[in-house]
Amino acid sequence: MADPRGFLKVRQRETQPRRPVPVRIMDWKEVYEAQEKGVLKSQAGRCMDCGIPFCHQGCPLGNLIPEWNDLMWRDKGAEAIERLHATNNFPEFTGRLCPAPCEASCVLGINQPAVTIKQVEVSIIDEAFDNDWVQPLPPARLSGKTVAVVGSGPAGLAAAQQLTRVGHTVAVYERDDKIGGLLRYGIPDFKMEKEQVDRRLEQMKAEGTRFRTGVAVGTDVTWEQLRRRYDAVVVATGATVPRDLPIPGRDLEGVHFAMDYLVPSNRVVAGESPENHIDAKGKHVVILGGGDTGADCIGTAHRHQAASVTTLAIGKQPPSERAAHQPWPTFPTLFEMASAHEEGGERTYLASTVEFVGENGKLTGVKVAETEFVDGKRLPKAGTERIIPADLVFLSLGFTGAEPAGLTEQVSAEFDGRGNVARDGHYMTNTEGVFVAGDAGRGQSLIVWAIAEGRACAAAVDKFLMGSTILPAPVAPTDRAIAVL
C-alpha cells in the first residue's frame, strides 16, 4: 500500500490543473498541465489499505491500481509502469480518455473524494516515455501463424500487440491513410495530441506488428481473401454507424453527423486539407446530445471561434451526487463539467428537437419544445415550441452498431439485434477463424472496454491457433457491466 495514513493526512482531492480558457481555446494543444510531483505523490498516497480493492472490479482491465499507486508514492516510476503495463497496453490513451469507472468504485470514495487514479495513471506513463522506459517487447520466437486485424482503434491495436508478442505474424488493416482509428481522427487534439498514438505505434512496429493503411476490407480486399491468406482474422472495426434524427428539415444544408465535423477538423489540425472541412467560425452552432462526442464538438467549435454554441439534451439534467439507485461501487450517471463546457456555450436539458427550419435549402434554426414524460415516453410538450437560431447542427446521438462492410456476404458473419457482429463466448463469429472485438461486437462503449476486449480476444485467437495460451483474458464477451459488486 501507499502512505498508511495518507488518506487521513490528505483529505483534499487535487486533479491536474487546466490551462486558462482564454489561452487554450487559441490552440489545439492538450488542455491539461503536468501536476507538480510532490502533489502527485501525496495524491497517490491517499490510496488506502482497503482490504478489498473494488477499483479492480470497477476497471474492465483489472488494473493493479493499489500497487502502482504505492510505487508512484515511493517514487519508483520504472516499477510502476511495469505493473501498469501488466494489464493495460495503452495507459496513455485511457489516462486521457477513459471516464474512470475505477474511481467510482474506489473504497475511499464511500465517505471522501476518491483517489485520483486516472491522474496517477497518465503521470506514470508520461514519465515512462520521457525516461525511455517504454521499450519494444518482440517475441523470442515466431509461431509460424498469421493473423489479420481489421481496424486500428484501441481494440484492434491491443489485440495486435498481444498477438505479436506471443510470436504470431500480425498485420493491421486500416481504411484511413494513418493508423489509429478514432484515436487519430475522432478525438480532438485538445483531449489527446497525436504524439501519444505515434510513439506507441513506433513501439509496435519495432516489436514486429505490420500495418496496412488505405485498405478498405470488404471492397479493396474481401474478407474471404483475408480468411484464406491468414490463419485467423479479427474484426475490430468499431461501432461507427451514427444514430440519425429523421425529423422535418433533416436534409437541410448545415445538419451534419458529429463525426462529419470532427474528423475533417482533426485532419486540418494535422496539416491536411480535406475537401469536406466544416468551419464554424462566426456561426451559431447547435449540438444535439450531451455525451463525450458532443463535448468534443463544443471544444472544436470554440476553437473555430463560433458565434454561439448550444447543446440540447432531451432528458433531465443528471444529479451532481449519486442517485439512490446507483450506489457505490457502481458507475453513476452524474452531471459533469468537461473542459469544453468550461470554455463557454449553453447547455439545455429537457429540450425535444421538433424540426430543423431553413430557407432556400439552408438551415436557419432549430425548433425545440420542452420535454414531457407520457407513459414512460419522452415527448415534446405542445405549446412550448421555440426556435433557436442555428447555422450548423451536429447530431451527437450515439451509434447504432458496426458497418456491414460485406461481412455477411463474404464470410457469412451474422449480426445481432443491436447491430453488432454476433459472436460466441470465445469472441468467434459463426465463421471459424473469424473473431470480433471491441465496439464492433459489444456496441458503443468506453475505451477501457475496447482495450480489455482486444486483450481477451487475442487470448482466444492464440488458444484457437495454438491449443493453449499464456495471454490474460480480462473480460468475457457477454460481460456488459461497467462496475458490479
Side-chain angles (χ1 to χ4, degrees):
M1 62 175 294
D3 185 351
R5 298 182 61 82
F7 68 98
L8 297 175
K9 294 186 296 185
V10 183
R11 291 179 174 269
Q12 184 176 358
R13 171 186 166 100
E14 292 189 45
T15 56
Q16 283 176 285
R18 294 168 177 169
R19 294 191 293 135
V21 169
V23 175
R24 72 189 193 222
I25 63 173
M26 300 303 292
D27 60 44
W28 296 89
K29 298 184 182 299
E30 290 184 15
V31 302
Y32 286 100
E33 297 176 335
Q35 191 166 52
E36 196 272 324
K37 189 64 177 288
V39 175
L40 184 67
K41 289 177 64 176
S42 67
Q43 289 296 306
R46 295 181 69 237
C47 187
M48 58 191 295
D49 186 12
C50 55
I52 299 177
F54 277 79
C55 55
H56 286 192
Q57 186 65 44
C59 175
L61 285 163
N63 280 335
L64 306 173
I65 295 164
E67 296 184 28
W68 40 259
N69 272 331
D70 173 57
L71 292 167
M72 169 60 77
W73 179 69
R74 297 177 187 277
D75 203 18
K76 296 184 177 181
E79 294 180 35
I81 191 56
E82 287 186 7
R83 300 311 294 147
L84 183 48
H85 270 151
T87 57
N88 186 351
N89 297 68
F90 314 124
E92 67 274 25
F93 302 160
T94 54
R96 287 172 168 83
L97 305 176
C98 181
C102 54
E103 295 185 8
S105 59
C106 172
V107 173
L108 185 60
I110 295 176
N111 64 350
Q112 285 191 37
V115 175
T116 56
I117 298 170
K118 178 178 174 180
Q119 175 180 302
V120 175
E121 175 183 4
V122 75
S123 299
I124 290 172
I125 182 59
D126 285 350
E127 182 183 26
F129 273 119
D130 291 343
N131 289 279
D132 293 326
W133 295 336
V134 181
Q135 295 295 321
L137 299 174
R141 62 181 63 87
L142 296 178
S143 67
K145 301 293 185 179
T146 58
V147 181
V149 176
V150 183
S152 66
L157 292 180
Q161 186 167 61
Q162 293 293 93
L163 290 166
T164 296
R165 288 177 172 177
V166 292
H168 304 309
T169 300
V170 181
V172 178
Y173 287 81
E174 170 58 54
R175 64 183 177 184
D176 283 330
D177 57 332
K178 292 182 181 179
I179 294 294
L182 291 185
L183 292 171
R184 172 77 63 182
Y185 290 127
I187 303 296
D189 282 46
F190 59 80
K191 288 179 67 174
M192 186 182 75
E193 294 181 40
K194 301 310 173 264
E195 174 195 11
Q196 309 300 335
V197 179
D198 293 335
R199 59 187 182 181
R200 184 60 72 173
L201 292 177
E202 289 302 313
Q203 181 203 34
M204 294 182 65
K205 291 175 183 177
E207 291 172 346
T209 302
R210 305 173 184 183
F211 296 99
R212 307 282 187 265
T213 57
V215 181
V217 177
T219 53
D220 296 337
V221 60
T222 68
W223 294 96
E224 180 58 32
Q225 286 174 324
L226 287 187
R227 187 172 172 236
R228 290 198 303 265
R229 180 176 176 182
Y230 294 89
D231 296 305
V233 176
V234 176
V235 181
T237 53
T240 56
V241 179
R243 179 173 284 107
D244 207 345
L245 185 62
I247 61 174
R250 173 62 182 87
D251 58 346
L252 288 171
E253 181 182 341
V255 183
H256 307 273
F257 289 118
M259 298 313 299
D260 292 339
Y261 176 50
L262 294 175
V263 171
S265 293
N266 282 339
R267 288 185 176 275
V268 170
V269 173
E272 303 176 25
S273 300
E275 296 181 357
N276 56 346
H277 174 52
I278 302 169
D279 192 346
K281 184 174 182 178
K283 298 182 178 180
H284 298 286
V285 175
V286 174
I287 299 161
L288 304 187
D292 288 340
T293 303
D296 293 345
C297 291
I298 294 172
T300 300
H302 287 148
R303 284 157 181 78
H304 284 170
Q305 300 177 17
S308 68
V309 181
T310 303
T311 303
L312 303 179
I314 192 172
K316 299 178 181 178
Q317 178 176 320
S320 299
E321 303 291 337
R322 283 183 182 273
H325 67 283
Q326 294 178 328
W328 177 90
T330 59
F331 188 40
T333 301
L334 299 175
F335 179 74
E336 297 181 352
M337 181 66 72
S339 64
H341 299 132
E342 288 182 342
E343 296 165 1
E346 181 181 345
R347 302 168 76 178
T348 303
Y349 291 87
L350 291 176
S352 294
T353 305
V354 178
E355 180 182 358
F356 301 121
V357 297
E359 296 177 0
N360 301 319
K362 293 186 177 182
L363 178 76
T364 59
V366 180
K367 181 183 288 187
V368 299
E370 294 180 13
T371 302
E372 64 177 350
F373 295 83
V374 180
D375 297 329
K377 296 181 179 180
R378 298 178 296 191
L379 300 173
K381 184 177 181 180
T384 63
E385 296 86 355
R386 63 189 177 97
I387 295 179
I388 299 175
D391 303 301
L392 290 170
V393 166
F394 300 124
L395 305 181
S396 177
L397 306 173
F399 300 86
T400 61
E403 296 179 32
L407 276 164
T408 300
E409 298 83 0
Q410 296 171 14
V411 288
S412 302
E414 297 177 353
F415 285 71
D416 62 22
R418 300 171 61 244
N420 306 319
V421 183
R423 56 193 182 177
D424 63 15
H426 304 283
Y427 291 90
M428 191 185 294
T429 69
N430 58 299
T431 300
E432 186 177 25
V434 179
F435 297 79
V436 60
D439 289 2
R442 72 177 292 111
Q444 181 190 8
S445 190
L446 308 179
I447 184 172
V448 69
W449 274 111
I451 297 173
E453 286 220 354
R455 289 170 63 88
C457 181
V461 172
D462 187 39
K463 185 174 182 180
F464 168 76
L465 295 175
M466 308 301 291
S468 62
T469 184
I470 60 172
L471 292 174
V475 294
T478 55
D479 186 359
R480 298 195 182 278
I482 292 181
V484 295
L485 287 170

